[in-house]
Amino acid sequence: PWGLLRRRRPGDVVILLFHRVGAGGREIDVPQDLFERQMAALAQSGEARTLDEALGRGDGGVVVTFDDGFRDFHEHALPTLVRHRVPALLYLATGLIDGTPEALTWAQLEEAVSTGLVEVGGHTHTHADLSRASGEVARSEMRRCKELIEDRLGRPCRHFAYPWAVGSPAADRLARELFESAALHAWRTNRGGGIDPHRLGRTPVLRGD
């Protein structure tokens, strides 16, 4: 409701956060038909941007991101993104891949990236809580994730998102060393003119939206 009082202004960057599409019944599990309508509206608005475009152009925009790396991204979200030509950034917890029937495979990730619409960023290896991790553990989690993505997909892993939207001073230093950007805060719009690319805010999208 506070968004009614503080509407997006020119230069603001809104980063939408999705988890699951067309799977499950939790509040973070967005139904397929709702996601379809949202992406159609976003495409029609002309506001959809890659993260690099939104941060670099100066006029802001809306960025679509996903967390974790579940198979419904490939089965349900990706066809919709391709249909409406909406770019997306998938923050991948690499330890999930090929691990369970619900997780993405590297082959599916390669297919997603080949569309030219999907970029893959890091989300640690084990979806670790970096607010509680030692500096050594944080470095291992972040570096392993980055290196796996670059090795398996053959593309740079330049962006990072903190699991659970929590970090620490040590993790912040590592994120600035290893990545070009880091998404940290939840429920926050990035106000134009004062954006720290390593402390980006995102807005979760829920079933009731």
Side-chain angles (χ1 to χ4, degrees), residues 78 82 85 110-118 155:
L78 182 61
V82 171
R85 306 305 297 171
E110 289 172 358
E111 182 180 339
V113 169
S114 73
T115 65
L117 291 169
V118 177
R155 294 169 183 252

Side-chain angles (χ1 to χ4, degrees), residues 13-15 185-191 194-196 199-204:
V13 176
V14 176
I15 305 176
H185 301 287
W187 304 110
R188 202 192 76 181
T189 294
N190 303 283
R191 296 298 181 186
I195 299 175
D196 181 345
R199 298 184 69 85
L200 297 173
R202 293 192 289 168
T203 301

Side-chain angles (χ1 to χ4, degrees), residues 109-163:
L109 285 163
E110 289 172 358
E111 182 180 339
V113 169
S114 73
T115 65
L117 291 169
V118 177
E119 183 169 4
V120 179
H123 199 44
T124 74
H125 184 65
T126 66
H127 204 272
D129 181 346
L130 296 182
S131 70
R132 299 174 179 270
S134 67
E136 181 179 351
V137 169
R139 179 176 289 276
S140 173
E141 284 280 344
M142 297 162 83
R143 284 189 66 88
R144 187 176 183 188
C145 176
K146 177 180 172 68
E147 290 169 357
L148 273 171
I149 291 169
E150 293 179 342
D151 179 62
R152 296 302 297 263
L153 299 180
R155 294 169 183 252
C157 177
R158 302 181 299 112
H159 304 294
F160 179 76
Y162 290 84

